[in-house]
């Protein structure tokens, strides 16, 4: 049975969040191909994870039999999160831009699952897994725009996920604040175009990834 790990990190609820709406479109397309599949949804805004701390860092270099209660709890959480990630056949992540970068809740998740010797480094336990990131943003930070140099979502996530060996792809709905900001009124048509393209890309990507997995599974069984 195929498994999709669906991660959202937007502060805003369904219906008002563009990143949530687009990740949901991906999920729905994936499920249409895998109706018997499992979706594991982790909402990092509704249920934030603890930030990576000294207990979590030190637990990896200490014999588990000698763990303090804090180290034991931190290690158990990291194991839970990593096993959840490793069990996924595909991952979709909502990563809206806040203050030029990713939400701190998403950074906390990344810190927990980035483990040298397991997911990163010479051993890459999720190598080859398709990861689709919905990198929504209120304005435009595309190449050639005035704020290009302030783009630290795709730049950062590309470096992180490349080091994990995954197959990374971005869907980038831009200008999401155009309707809410009078100063951006002239950009509404471009915003609507970007939004429509994002939904189309999410549906196509979800379907393609699910179909590729089904074909691979069938080939392995034959």
């Amino acid at each position: 049975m195929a498994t999709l790990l669906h991660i959202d990190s937007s502060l805003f609820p369904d219906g008002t969040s563009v990143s949530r709406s687009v990740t949901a479109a991906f999920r729905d397309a994936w499920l249409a191909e895998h109706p018997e599949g499992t979706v594991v949804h982790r909402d990092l805004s509704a249920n934030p994870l603890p930030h990576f701390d000294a207990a979590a860092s030190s637990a990896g270099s200490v014999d588990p039999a000698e763990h303090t209660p804090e180290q034991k709890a931190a290690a158990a959480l990291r194991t839970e999160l990593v096993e959840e990630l490793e069990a996924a056949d595909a991952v979709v992540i909502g990563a809206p831009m806040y203050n030029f970068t990713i939400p701190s809740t998403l950074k906390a998740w990344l810190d927990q699952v980035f483990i040298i010797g397991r997911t990163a480094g010479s051993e890459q336990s999720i190598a080859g897994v398709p990861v689709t990131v919905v990198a929504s943003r209120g304005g435009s930070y595309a190449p050639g725009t005035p704020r290009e140099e302030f783009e630290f979502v795709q730049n950062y996530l590309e470096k992180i996920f490349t080091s994990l060996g995954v197959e990374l792809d971005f869907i980038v709905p831009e200008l999401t604040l155009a309707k809410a900001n009078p100063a951006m009124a002239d950009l509404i048509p471009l915003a609507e175009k970007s939004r429509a393209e994002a939904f189309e890309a999410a549906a196509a990507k979800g379907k393609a990834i699910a179909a590729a997995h089904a074909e691979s599974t069938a080939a392995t069984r034959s």
Side-chain angles (χ1 to χ4, degrees), residues 164-187:
L164 300 182
V166 305
E167 296 180 7
L168 181 64
D169 193 21
F170 286 98
I171 297 173
V172 187
E174 294 195 313
L175 305 169
T176 62
L177 293 177
K179 288 186 177 180
N181 185 346
M184 298 174 66
D186 291 345
L187 299 175

Side-chain angles (χ1 to χ4, degrees), residues 2 26 29-34 90 204-215:
F26 179 103
W30 185 91
L31 276 174
E33 297 293 315
H34 281 308
K205 194 70 177 177
K207 180 178 180 179
I209 287 175
H213 178 269
E215 291 177 5

Side-chain angles (χ1 to χ4, degrees), residues 18 25 35 71 97 110 137 162 172 189 192 203 209 221:
V18 172
Q71 289 173 325
M97 177 185 281
L110 286 166
R137 61 277 311 271
T162 296
V172 187
E192 293 177 341
I209 287 175
R221 291 175 179 173

